[in-house]
Amino acid sequence: IRWLAYGIETGSEQIRKEVMKGSFTNKKIKEVIKMTKDNDICIIGNFMCGFWQDNLDTMQQTLDLALDLQCEFVNFYCVSAFPNTKFYEEMKERKIELPTKWSQYAQMSEDFMPLSTNFLKKEEVLTFRDKAFKTYFENYEYQKMIKDKFNWKVLNDITKMLSYRIKRKILCQ
């Protein structure tokens, strides 16, 4: 095994409990990540923004945890509610605006439409997500780790990835 993906989701222990991800503490997550790295296994960390109780502080906790863990690669996603799920019905009951076409579920599309939270507009969630992505991959410590662990070519590929900007329709209005 060379790579493992972990669904860490959030840096907020309270939100993690609320979304039924168990009672994993940030301390336990750090121990598991260290154990994985100590066994020369690279990590893809999956993180999410826009849980119902998320605010800018809790989403910053998520970014801070991601930066602290320094996984070899990360994904930052926004929470989505898919049709015919219990979560979708819960969001409908809360009168949250939901996507009306499939392209609005595609996280990297111009059309993507995340959910708003109890405290944030959907635009704020998406803006934070895009900022977190850029912040993580531009981080000096991360880039140094990538160069040292892999090579300059991999770091150059990451730099090239960062040069692409998604023109988000809901942010251009």
Side-chain angles (χ1 to χ4, degrees):
I1 297 173
R2 301 289 313 175
W3 286 82
L4 282 176
Y6 287 112
I8 299 161
E9 317 304 15
T10 179
S12 166
E13 292 180 359
Q14 182 61 40
I15 290 176
R16 195 176 305 118
K17 286 178 188 172
E18 289 173 9
V19 296
M20 314 257 305
K21 285 298 281 188
S23 59
F24 295 107
T25 63
N26 288 349
K27 181 180 178 202
K28 183 66 173 175
I29 289 169
K30 290 174 185 180
E31 289 171 4
V32 169
I33 296 298
K34 182 182 181 324
M35 175 194 65
T36 305
K37 286 180 175 243
D38 287 349
N39 283 285
D40 289 326
I41 298 172
C42 296
I43 300 164
I44 299 172
N46 292 302
F47 299 91
M48 298 184 78
C49 302
F51 290 103
W52 180 246
Q53 291 299 325
D54 256 335
N55 57 47
L56 290 175
D57 289 337
T58 59
M59 291 191 310
Q60 185 63 49
Q61 289 173 25
T62 300
L63 175 56
D64 291 345
L65 178 61
L67 289 166
D68 190 38
L69 296 176
Q70 204 171 80
C71 301
E72 285 78 5
F73 197 84
V74 297
N75 293 302
F76 288 99
Y77 298 110
C78 292
V79 174
S80 295
F82 290 91
N84 300 316
T85 64
K86 181 180 174 190
F87 186 57
Y88 183 89
E89 295 305 319
E90 288 173 16
M91 294 298 104
K92 267 176 64 174
E93 287 175 20
R94 289 180 174 156
K95 308 279 190 243
I96 300 300
E97 183 181 6
L98 296 164
T100 57
K101 52 188 177 176
W102 285 111
S103 62
Q104 292 174 315
Y105 287 98
Q107 297 267 334
M108 299 302 142
S109 79
E110 292 179 0
D111 224 13
F112 178 63
M113 189 175 86
L115 301 175
S116 56
T117 76
N118 196 27
F119 305 103
L120 300 170
K121 297 176 188 173
K122 64 182 180 285
E123 294 87 356
E124 293 172 297
V125 172
L126 186 55
T127 297
F128 186 90
R129 180 265 161 222
D130 288 351
K131 180 193 94 166
F133 179 87
K134 187 174 186 248
T135 299
Y136 187 87
F137 287 103
E138 286 181 345
N139 179 272
Y140 172 79
E141 292 299 321
Y142 170 77
Q143 290 191 356
K144 182 179 180 327
M145 182 265 298
I146 290 298
K147 180 187 69 69
D148 293 347
K149 187 166 193 159
F150 299 106
N151 56 42
W152 279 104
K153 182 184 178 322
V154 174
L155 181 56
N156 287 337
D157 288 343
I158 289 169
T159 303
K160 184 177 178 183
M161 173 184 73
L162 287 169
S163 72
Y164 295 103
R165 293 284 184 255
I166 302 169
K167 184 178 176 185
R168 304 289 197 171
K169 288 183 181 177
I170 69 168
L171 301 179
C172 297
Q173 298 173 1

